[in-house]
Amino acid sequence: MNPGPETNRVLLTHMGECIERIREYTAGDRSRFEASRLVQHAVTRNLQTLTESSQRLSDDIRTTEP
C-alpha cells in the first residue's frame, strides 16, 4: 500500500518533531550527548522513530527526496 498525501504530511511532520526533540536534548552539543546515557537513549529512540517514519513515506516522496 502506497500512502497518500495526507499520510506523507503526517509522517514528515512527525519526522520534523523527532529532529526538533534531538536538537532540544543535545542543544547542538556533542559533549552533552556523550555525557548522559539518558540523552543518548532519547536521541537514539528519536532516530529510530524518524527512520521508521521515513520508511513509510510514499514512493513518490522517497524518489524525489532521498
Side-chain angles (χ1 to χ4, degrees), residues 11 23-24 29 37 42 44 56:
L11 290 168
R23 287 181 176 148
E24 176 185 338
D29 183 358
R37 289 182 62 174
T44 301
R56 294 176 59 198

Side-chain angles (χ1 to χ4, degrees), residues 9-55:
R9 187 190 67 73
V10 170
L11 290 168
L12 290 168
T13 298
H14 187 63
M15 292 168 66
E17 290 168 352
C18 288
I19 292 167
E20 286 305 312
R21 281 192 294 269
I22 291 168
R23 287 181 176 148
E24 176 185 338
Y25 299 153
T26 62
D29 183 358
R30 184 180 180 100
S31 64
R32 186 171 178 182
F33 172 81
E34 292 172 346
S36 171
R37 289 182 62 174
L38 182 63
V39 172
Q40 291 170 17
H41 177 73
V43 168
T44 301
R45 181 64 187 125
N46 276 277
L47 287 171
Q48 290 170 335
T49 301
L50 188 141
T51 300
E52 290 169 7
S53 293
S54 73
Q55 293 171 348

